[in-house]
Amino acid sequence: MPDKKGNHSEIPDGVSRRSFLKGMGTGAAILPALGKTVEAADLENRFGPEPAPITLTINEKIYHLQVEPRETLIEVLRNRLNITGTKVVCDNGSCGACTVYLDGAPVYGCMMLAVKAQNKQITTIEGISQNGKLHPVQEAFIEADALQCGFCTPGFVMSMAKVFEENPKASLIEVKQGLAGHICRCGAYAQIFKAAENVSKRNGG
Amino acid sequence: MNKFEFAVADSIQTALEELNEHPAAAKVHAGGVDLVGELKHYTAQPDIVVDISEIPDLKWIADDAEGTTIGASVKLIDVIRHEAVSKKHAALQEAASVVGSPQIRNMGTIGGNLCQRPRCWYYRDEAYHCLKKGGDECFSVAGRNRNHCILGGGPCYIVHPSDCAPALIALNASVALQSVKGKRELPLEDFFILPESDATRENVLQPGEILTYIHIPAHAGKSAYIKFREKEGFDWALSACAAALEFSGKTCRSARVVLGGVAPIPWRVRSVESYLQGKEITEETARRAGEMAVEDAMPLAENANKVLLTKAIVKQALLKLNA
């Protein structure tokens, strides 16, 4: 959970409240007199409706937190963990602003319940730069001035980075297919495609 | 979104028992794309959501000489990338490839694609208590209806939103439905129901019952799926056509032709199927087939364009198979 300065408390895996509770469950299972066996199973598989402990792995860091099952991944990222690089625009699975990777695959954070993002590697826009250096797609966006208001940009960058990860020399058609789940209301498409063209050319495409 | 409990099922049996305990108050979560939308718009207000996406038995594709079986929780991206699907069932591969956007195909499942609720804007708008929600009026009749049906409508005029369903029906697929009471199998075609029998649902699933498997029998023919959407990048079909044809030389021996985006259920056009039997697929037969496909069409005030579109889409699908 973020403190007032927005810092995140990270509890090392293995001593978390959740794994502690799981440990309790296992203990109870060998002491059937306590009648805890069923609850041990429940702890693993049932959440809510009140806030329940979950564990998320975001940009290779582990977060233990309490969420209601009705909270979407994007709400948890932004409102509970203060990881705000990823934006919310339509909140309806149409615009792509909330795109993050789940085990490397782009998904809409607004259409996924946070409880369903457990046991997966979540990557947000904050996680695609390496050692403080912008991702080549981010550099290309700046160079081509591929944005106006910038709200759609984190999502576009995530999907375009994925296109070039799969094919470093991706054609414009492949780029368009990869970006099909995004909308830019400012209409910066021409510059966005120019950025893609530059990345492709730099990769020898 | 209302509060709900979330239960992750680790087996089909667990899921069925969980659903059986709360038959009216439970909803099934597979990929979650459609369900989360429903929860946000209060068209679904469950007390408990049962997640079937982690059930190992529902996450595999098996292929042998008899056909291809796909678990309901297989993601669309994995359907698209599966060799048996791309080599043997082109219509399904083409249909799954045009569902939503890359993000949606990475999240959504094949079972969810078949069971998703309609996109009618009155249904999705919590301000309208329409027939589908148990009200007594279909607001599309006198309202905005350019995306609504031209075939099979009344008293509700939705179109079925699935791309995979018409393709799978063209491929003669069947589905397995399971509840604590047991398992039943039926042709996918019989899974869907018209609003005239019950406007509040789109299929025969009973409370507590889930779709578990889809089976496509082996076939010797060729198949294709053509979809027209207003926004080419990412949209539901305004009109679509799935066709599966078997040939003897150049002559069509048998045909299954199913329309999408134009009726409350995937719309099989048997008149076209029997017309094509014994014919070569020429420009003229394909054109005539397109005309026959919409002979019974009764467009609403704003969607007569779908009649023209469908003629062209049917023709295009048939000519693609002839190529």
Side-chain angles (χ1 to χ4, degrees):
Chain A
M1 292 291 289
D3 63 20
K4 280 177 187 166
K5 290 175 189 165
N7 295 324
H8 308 135
S9 66
E10 285 159 42
I11 306 163
D13 220 10
V15 293
S16 70
R17 182 171 177 275
R18 178 167 165 76
S19 46
F20 174 71
L21 287 171
K22 277 163 76 180
M24 287 280 287
T26 315
I30 47 171
L31 294 170
L34 292 173
K36 291 283 185 189
T37 320
V38 173
E39 279 182 37
D42 282 354
L43 273 175
E44 188 65 20
N45 295 318
R46 305 183 83 91
F47 303 89
E50 299 310 319
I54 67 162
T55 303
L56 297 178
T57 308
I58 306 159
N59 302 327
E60 299 178 344
K61 289 184 189 169
I62 295 167
Y63 297 82
H64 301 287
L65 66 162
Q66 303 256 340
V67 305
E68 292 180 13
R70 65 174 167 170
E71 289 179 72
T72 60
L73 177 57
I74 192 65
E75 286 170 343
V76 167
L77 286 173
R78 291 182 54 85
N79 304 343
R80 288 198 182 267
L81 297 174
N82 206 26
I83 303 174
T84 54
T86 312
K87 307 303 182 207
V88 185
V89 178
C90 76
D91 200 24
N92 216 6
S94 297
C95 79
C98 66
T99 299
V100 296
Y101 299 162
L102 207 71
D103 282 346
V107 298
Y108 291 141
C110 75
M111 299 307 274
M112 164 164 280
L113 300 173
V115 289
K116 283 307 297 169
Q118 297 190 93
N119 310 312
K120 312 255 198 252
Q121 297 289 332
I122 302 159
T123 310
T124 69
I125 187 72
E126 288 91 345
I128 67 157
S129 49
Q130 298 277 320
N131 307 318
K133 201 168 173 294
L134 290 179
H135 188 282
V137 166
Q138 290 175 305
E139 296 279 9
F141 265 65
I142 295 169
E143 191 182 64
D145 196 15
L147 58 136
Q148 197 178 114
C149 83
F151 248 73
C152 69
T153 312
F156 267 100
V157 169
M158 294 302 279
S159 284
M160 196 189 289
K162 180 53 61 181
V163 169
F164 286 110
E165 183 190 312
E166 286 176 357
N167 178 6
K169 301 176 185 179
S171 67
L172 186 57
I173 290 173
E174 287 169 293
V175 169
K176 285 185 175 178
Q177 285 169 343
L179 300 182
H182 294 265
I183 294 173
C184 167
R185 292 298 296 269
C186 302
Y189 296 106
Q191 292 88 336
I192 291 169
F193 296 142
K194 180 69 188 164
E197 200 185 323
N198 290 345
V199 176
S200 183
K201 269 188 196 157
R202 236 162 260 154
N203 293 336
Chain B
M1 209 184 293
N2 290 344
K3 287 189 178 195
F4 52 83
E5 189 181 355
F6 193 82
V8 183
D10 54 9
S11 69
I12 296 173
Q13 197 53 35
T14 323
L16 297 179
E17 284 167 12
E18 198 69 66
L19 290 167
N20 190 48
E21 277 180 41
H22 322 266
K27 285 282 173 190
V28 176
H29 176 290
V33 186
D34 191 52
L35 179 67
V36 171
E38 288 251 308
L39 294 168
K40 285 183 181 184
H41 295 126
Y42 300 95
T43 41
Q45 301 187 43
D47 294 331
I48 180 165
V49 170
V50 179
D51 176 40
I52 63 165
S53 69
E54 311 279 345
I55 299 174
D57 276 352
L58 297 183
K59 289 171 77 171
W60 48 258
I61 300 181
D63 182 60
D64 60 26
E66 288 184 5
T68 310
T69 304
I70 308 175
S73 295
V74 175
K75 290 192 188 305
L76 292 166
I77 185 70
D78 297 322
V79 172
I80 296 163
R81 289 184 177 161
H82 199 277
E83 205 184 354
V85 174
S86 53
K87 280 194 173 156
K88 301 178 180 177
H89 313 298
L92 175 60
Q93 209 249 358
E94 290 166 11
S97 301
V98 291
V99 173
S101 62
Q103 288 93 327
I104 285 175
R105 298 191 289 272
N106 286 337
M107 303 169 78
T109 62
I110 182 89
N113 187 267
L114 299 180
C115 297
Q116 63 181 312
R117 304 304 309 274
R119 304 304 311 178
C120 170
W121 38 47
Y122 297 106
Y123 169 66
R124 294 273 165 175
D125 188 333
E126 52 187 294
Y128 292 90
H129 189 58
C130 74
L131 276 177
K132 191 154 274 305
K133 294 185 249 187
D136 53 14
E137 185 181 349
C138 173
F139 295 91
S140 78
V141 177
R144 307 310 302 264
N145 50 36
R146 69 192 177 98
N147 290 342
H148 290 74
C149 69
I150 55 171
L151 288 157
C156 152
Y157 291 83
I158 60 150
V159 294
H160 199 277
S162 173
D163 288 304
C164 297
L168 283 164
I169 292 172
L171 293 166
N172 199 17
S174 55
V175 284
L177 313 181
Q178 280 177 250
S179 72
V180 286
K181 289 178 206 147
K183 183 173 175 178
R184 54 179 175 146
E185 289 182 20
L186 63 162
L188 180 59
E189 191 184 353
D190 299 339
F191 175 68
F192 299 103
I193 54 170
L194 281 168
E196 65 187 26
S197 28
D198 186 348
T200 63
R201 55 198 183 123
E202 296 81 54
N203 56 56
V204 300
L205 277 177
Q206 295 295 316
E209 194 173 41
I210 56 174
L211 191 158
T212 47
Y213 300 102
I214 297 133
H215 178 74
I216 312 167
H219 57 96
K222 294 203 283 182
S223 66
Y225 183 74
I226 303 274
K227 172 183 185 180
F228 184 88
R229 40 194 167 170
E230 187 165 5
K231 181 157 90 79
E232 183 57 33
F234 166 19
D235 215 337
W236 285 271
L238 277 182
S239 178
C241 176
L245 270 60
E246 288 188 339
F247 291 92
S248 292
K250 282 190 162 186
T251 309
C252 171
R253 202 150 43 83
S254 71
R256 288 174 69 94
V257 180
V258 187
L259 308 178
V262 292
I265 57 172
W267 193 258
R268 201 173 157 194
V269 271
R270 287 172 196 276
S271 57
V272 172
E273 294 175 0
S274 41
Y275 166 74
L276 293 173
Q277 227 169 3
K279 292 202 175 55
E280 277 187 33
I281 309 299
T282 62
E283 182 91 11
E284 179 53 26
T285 33
R287 187 193 61 77
R288 177 75 192 115
E291 279 176 1
M292 291 176 82
V294 290
E295 256 166 14
D296 297 331
M298 293 180 45
L300 300 160
E302 297 179 340
N303 68 1
N305 63 326
K306 284 196 176 193
V307 177
L308 299 172
L309 265 177
T310 306
K311 283 185 193 176
I313 295 283
V314 170
K315 180 180 168 189
Q316 214 177 321
L318 294 174
L319 289 176
K320 184 175 177 187
L321 289 178
N322 195 36

